[in-house]
Amino acid sequence: MNQQLLAKTFVELADNLVADFDLIDFLRLLTDRCVGLLGASAAGVLLADRDGELRVMAASDEQVRLLELFQLQNDEGPCLECFRTDTPVVVPDLTREIDRWPRFVTAAHRSGFGAVQALPMRLREETVGALNLFRAAPGPFDPLATHIAQALADVATISLLQQRTAQRSSVLNEQLQTALNSRVLIEQAKGKLAERQGIDMEQAFTALRGYARAHNRRLSDLARAFIDDSEPLLGLGS
């Protein structure tokens, strides 16, 4: 494991008290680092909206984003169970859970996943969502990697709640609703860029994210400008 990158990740997840804090980019950092550091094949983050309903807020790739959406639409799966029980759900072999989550297990296998663990994003009595790690091959999860993943989820949760306090918001849900709106913009921009350049959705997201970082722009603001064609964005979608 890359200890230097792990230390950097904890610092980045804790460093949230900035004026241009971008929740979507923050959560994508969490999923990307779980894949890069912990040996997961893919990762996703689900957060609760103002009504307490889970929404897909970040995913390390398009395939797992669609699987997370499938899980929510069918109201079954480890991530939902994790959120509702406030406890980790560890499934080393999905084939053994076909009776428990028949539709989810079938969809997960179709997507190439054989094992999953869902970890609560929780601080004391408040659970805001779940971090979900998928692996292609079935088999036991590394206890150290699981411990680190939970620690990353905990730090991210603290950062989310600190953001609420720093912005003097009465509830975290208002921030999450704003992020949900941003998510819609980003998905629309991904689709437009993918169609224009003849690339897949994941490549489109990478291009948008790279452009936003290179030009010091919020990802949601860039997505809106790209959708509306409200300003020239040289090198993006040309």
Side-chain angles (χ1 to χ4, degrees):
M1 185 178 298
N2 188 328
Q3 298 294 330
Q4 185 175 358
L5 182 58
L6 178 60
K8 180 183 178 184
T9 301
F10 276 110
V11 171
E12 289 174 319
L13 291 175
D15 185 19
N16 66 89
L17 299 179
V18 292
D20 60 346
F21 178 77
D22 189 320
L23 179 58
I24 300 297
D25 199 43
F26 173 81
L27 294 174
R28 181 58 188 255
L29 171 71
L30 174 61
T31 61
D32 286 353
R33 294 296 169 80
C34 283
V35 172
L37 286 167
L38 305 179
S41 301
V45 172
L46 278 65
L47 295 181
D49 64 14
R50 66 182 61 182
D51 298 318
E53 296 295 324
L54 284 176
R55 306 293 181 187
V56 180
M57 297 303 298
S60 60
D61 60 48
E62 187 69 12
Q63 189 174 45
V64 79
R65 186 184 76 86
L66 294 175
L67 181 59
E68 296 279 40
L69 285 172
F70 180 89
Q71 186 173 189
L72 296 179
Q73 290 164 356
N74 288 275
D75 195 34
E76 68 167 46
C79 311
L80 285 164
E81 187 170 310
C82 170
F83 176 73
R84 291 168 177 168
T85 63
D86 298 332
T87 57
V89 176
V90 181
V91 185
D93 187 351
L94 278 167
T95 59
R96 298 178 179 272
E97 305 299 337
I98 188 68
D99 293 332
R100 186 178 180 185
W101 308 307
R103 288 168 293 185
F104 172 78
V105 170
T106 300
H109 281 156
R110 193 163 52 238
S111 297
F113 301 120
V116 62
Q117 58 180 339
L119 306 173
M121 296 184 68
R122 177 186 60 212
L123 180 64
R124 301 185 185 92
E125 301 303 316
E126 186 168 7
T127 301
V128 301
L131 169 65
N132 314 302
L133 306 181
F134 297 85
R135 205 177 57 207
F141 286 91
D142 178 5
L144 177 59
T146 298
H147 180 74
I148 292 173
Q150 184 64 69
L152 291 172
D154 291 344
V155 170
T157 303
I158 291 170
S159 288
L160 291 174
L161 296 174
Q162 283 181 334
Q163 265 293 307
R164 176 189 65 184
T165 301
Q167 296 179 357
R168 302 180 182 224
S169 171
S170 59
V171 288
L172 176 63
N173 295 335
E174 293 180 10
Q175 182 189 16
L176 299 184
Q177 190 61 43
T178 298
L180 283 169
N181 296 337
S182 297
R183 180 80 256 176
V184 172
L185 285 173
I186 293 166
E187 290 301 317
Q188 290 175 344
K190 281 167 55 180
K192 180 177 179 179
L193 184 59
E195 181 179 6
R196 180 174 293 183
Q197 292 195 350
I199 58 179
D200 64 32
M201 295 287 277
E202 185 62 24
Q203 290 171 320
F205 179 84
T206 299
L208 287 167
R209 190 186 192 193
Y211 192 96
R213 289 185 170 184
H215 293 80
N216 197 27
R217 298 282 299 270
R218 287 173 58 89
L219 187 56
S220 55
D221 292 342
L222 174 67
R224 184 186 298 276
F226 181 65
I227 293 167
D228 297 341
D229 289 322
S230 58
E231 60 181 274
L233 298 171
L234 299 179
L236 184 64
S238 57

